[in-house]
Structures are given as C-alpha cells and as structure tokens.
C-alpha cells in the first residue's frame, strides 16, 4: 500500500538514542524536513524479531553484538513517509559508521560508533515493504 504522502520507510530510533534522550532531536529533524510520521511506537525488539529484521546479517561476525545492543532496551519504531523518503532519510542519517558520517547528518553529529549509530532506515522499497510488514502488520 502507498501512503497519501508518497513513499514509506521503516525507521528505528535505536536503544542508544532512547537512552541518550535524542528521540525528539531525531524526530524533529524528520518533521522539519517535511516528512510525515504515519505510525510510531515505543517498544523493545526481542531476539526473534532481531533475527527477522536483520535476516541478511545474521551470519555476519558483527551480528551477535548488534543483536545484544538492539535488544538492550526500548526503541522507537516508526513509519515515515514523503517524496523519495527512503533516499532522503538515508542522506539525513549518514554513513553507517558515525566516525565517518558527514557532519550535519544524524550519525555524523551524534555517533562515534558503527554499531551504536542511533537510527536504522529501510534501504530500498523492497526492504521498506518487508520491514513495515514485520513491525506494523496492520499497515501493510
Ligand atoms: P543498520 O542501518 O541498522 O543496519 C545494520 C546494522 O548493523 C547497522 O545499522 C549497524 O548498527 C550494524 N553494523 C553494520 N556494520 C557493522 C560493523 N562492521 N560492525 C558493527 N556493527 C555494524
């Protein structure tokens, strides 16, 4: 299903951002850009959901500590929509490694880690569809 405001992305504001009190800062950036929040919930990711969400990473060496981090506390799951939202949000969050992400991006401004990097956003329309189905089945 498409949104009235265009393309949709699944965004996770990760446990490090919640612990550090950066939820408002991050959502504010999306809102000021003109993107719309279609759905939002504060919840935790359990081990099974982590394995499903990160299905393409489960065999990678970085996955066990990533899973431990992502299940370590509450996160904010959102569906965000807008014109070319997938590309727009990925530009706003910056490169995976916060140490290398450009200044002015969320990771570039607030993260010094390639694991605890504050935000996840869908990387393609197919990923967005799969991830929205996983986190917000009522919207899919
Ligand atoms: P995310 O956009 O959620 O997608 C996969 C996540 O794995 C990524 O953000 C990081 O949190 C994490 N990640 C990716 N590469 C590495 C790495 N080399 N070392 C540690 N964590 C990583």
């Amino acid at each position: 299903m498409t949104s009235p405001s265009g393309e949709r992305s699944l965004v996770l504001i990760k446990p490090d951002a919640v612990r550090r009190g950066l939820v408002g800062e991050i959502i504010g950036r999306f809102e000021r850009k003109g993107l719309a929040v279609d759905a939002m919930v504060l919840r935790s990711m359990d081990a099974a959901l982590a394995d499903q969400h990160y299905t393409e990473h489960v065999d990678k060496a970085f996955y066990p500590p990533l899973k431990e981090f992502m299940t370590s506390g509450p996160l904010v799951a959102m569906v965000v929509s807008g014109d070319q939202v997938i590309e727009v949000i990925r530009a706003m969050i910056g490169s995976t490694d916060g140490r290398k992400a450009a200044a002015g991006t969320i990771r570039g401004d607030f993260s010094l880690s390639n694991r605890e990097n504050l935000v996840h956003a869908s990387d393609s329309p197919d990923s967005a569809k799969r991830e929205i189905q996983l986190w917000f089945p009522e919207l899919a």
Side-chain angles (χ1 to χ4, degrees):
M1 189 199 298
T2 53
S3 156
S5 9
E7 193 176 64
R8 298 198 299 191
S9 179
L10 185 281
V11 175
L12 301 178
I13 303 180
K14 297 184 180 186
D16 56 334
V18 175
R19 277 194 284 271
R20 291 173 57 193
L22 290 171
V23 172
E25 168 71 34
I26 293 167
I27 295 174
R29 287 183 179 216
F30 296 148
E31 288 185 321
R32 293 196 298 276
K33 182 70 174 173
L35 300 173
V37 177
D38 291 354
M40 178 163 64
V41 65
L42 180 76
R43 58 167 289 184
S44 296
M45 189 187 224
D46 64 18
L49 183 55
D51 291 348
Q52 286 179 288
H53 177 83
Y54 283 125
T55 184
E56 76 272 35
H57 295 313
V58 290
D59 296 325
K60 295 188 181 149
F62 66 73
Y63 185 65
L66 172 65
K67 181 175 178 176
E68 187 174 350
F69 160 56
M70 289 299 295
T71 58
S72 67
L75 52 73
V76 176
M78 311 164 69
V79 175
V80 181
S81 65
D83 190 25
Q84 296 185 34
V85 67
I86 292 170
E87 192 182 339
V88 167
I89 289 199
R90 289 184 72 80
M92 291 179 76
I93 68 179
S95 312
T96 301
D97 188 335
R99 294 163 296 196
K100 295 177 183 146
T105 65
I106 293 168
R107 290 167 175 165
D109 288 350
F110 301 116
S111 169
L112 268 176
S113 169
N114 64 352
R115 177 178 308 119
E116 302 202 8
N117 61 1
L118 304 166
V119 185
H120 164 86
S122 307
D123 64 7
S124 68
D126 283 348
S127 298
K129 190 169 180 214
R130 186 185 73 81
E131 292 171 359
I132 290 169
Q133 170 85 50
L134 200 54
W135 288 87
F136 294 95
E138 68 277 14
L139 294 185

